[in-house]
Amino acid sequence: MTDKFTTPVHYDDDIDATNIEDKTVAVLGYGSQGHAHAQNLDDSGVDVVVGLPKSSSSRQAVEADGLPVATPRNAASDADIVVMLVPDTVQPDVYEDIEPALDAGDTLQFAHGFNIHYGQIEPPEDVDVTMIAPKSPGHLVRRTYKRGEGTPGLLAIYQDATGEAQQEALAYAQAIGCARAGVIETTFREETETDIFGEQAVLCGGVTDLVKAGFETLVDAGYAPEMAYFECLNELKLIVDLMYEGGHMGMWNSVSDTAEYGGLTRGEEVINREGMDEILEGVQNGEFAREWINENQANRPAYRQYRQAEQNHQVEEVGARLRELFAWDEESGETAD
């Protein structure tokens, strides 16, 4: 464990693998995270069973990967650790199905805290409730593990009925490769609220609306939509990659002085901090969670309307044509060098 961060970070050398070696893990779901967790655990020598409904089309993939598969209820019944890796909106129904299979001293584990934090799942008091959340898509969790590396992950303990929840969760993180890079301590509340805020204000909502606003500003001023696409969307990846690798200063050091001065003096004019504060408040007080839960219960009418409008936006039409000009790396989805 290191003290150079504001919160504890755990690495392989800090962890006792024996805290999981004699346990069976049921991985519920075999999507992006599910397949990576299950395969990495199996390669680490952990006893794994994948839980999927009999009607699931993913069962063939599980069997092809050489892993046992059972219904979620049966998988949970055989397991000491039950890991919820199905989508947030599905988890409450899956939990209702597997809850009778949870025994005292078992662990219910998550990779995102939404349903626990907002009370959609209320586990019994005699089970541990933990979170191990890799900060990377599942395919990278799997790919880096196979290279002998790992992706950073988060650790949170919501309920420690056995007194051993953290040690077991860290052993799990080690088994999927996260401890090779570092496992950062957090809480269910912090992980959930920062994750949702980041998605809405920056990573998904903020960025896409910024791109559309910049694109529309140029097109409305008479510039070619192709030029607007290149300057407001296509080159965004170059900037994000520079920030990802070297932070803000790594990016500023790589762009022209003109771009740096213009960005430093003009960027804040398009950012509305009051709006961000309102978004965060809606996450913290549960307003967004209630809205999203109600939206799903109503069969997602607003969701489909927003998605259709996004699909029909001019930036998508122009981009679809321009992206045909690039040579793409089929495995990574990135442009080839």
Side-chain angles (χ1 to χ4, degrees), residues 161-184:
T162 65
E164 301 174 353
Q166 178 162 310
Q167 296 92 320
E168 181 189 82
L170 284 171
Y172 181 99
Q174 182 183 59
I176 65 171
C178 287
R180 297 170 180 175
V183 183
I184 304 167

Side-chain angles (χ1 to χ4, degrees), residues 73-120:
R73 172 82 68 90
N74 288 340
S77 180
D78 293 337
D80 305 288
I81 303 170
V82 180
V83 190
M84 279 282 192
L85 294 177
V86 295
D88 288 341
T89 52
V90 178
Q91 286 184 13
D93 288 339
V94 173
Y95 175 75
E96 185 177 353
D97 176 48
I98 64 98
E99 193 275 337
L102 293 176
D103 297 322
D106 282 352
T107 295
L108 183 63
Q109 185 171 291
F110 297 82
H112 179 42
F114 185 98
N115 284 298
I116 290 293
H117 180 55
Y118 293 116
Q120 298 305 293

Side-chain angles (χ1 to χ4, degrees), residues 210-236 313-316 318-319 322:
L210 181 64
V211 167
K212 287 187 292 186
F215 177 89
E216 292 167 358
T217 298
L218 289 176
V219 171
D220 290 348
Y223 297 98
E226 290 79 10
M227 291 299 297
Y229 181 88
F230 279 125
E231 297 303 326
C232 295
L233 192 154
N234 185 74
E235 293 191 18
L236 182 63
H313 194 281
Q314 187 182 12
V315 73
E316 280 295 287
V318 173
L322 289 177

Side-chain angles (χ1 to χ4, degrees), residues 247-270:
H248 284 184
M249 290 311 302
M251 183 271 290
W252 292 129
N253 290 336
S254 299
V255 300
S256 70
D257 291 349
T258 304
E260 182 178 7
Y261 180 77
L264 289 171
T265 59
R266 303 299 197 273
E268 66 179 18
E269 295 182 12
V270 300

Side-chain angles (χ1 to χ4, degrees), residues 136 139-151 180:
S136 176
H139 70 275
L140 287 180
V141 174
R142 180 59 179 159
R143 189 186 308 166
T144 55
Y145 177 93
K146 291 169 68 176
R147 291 203 306 253
E149 301 169 353
T151 60
R180 297 170 180 175

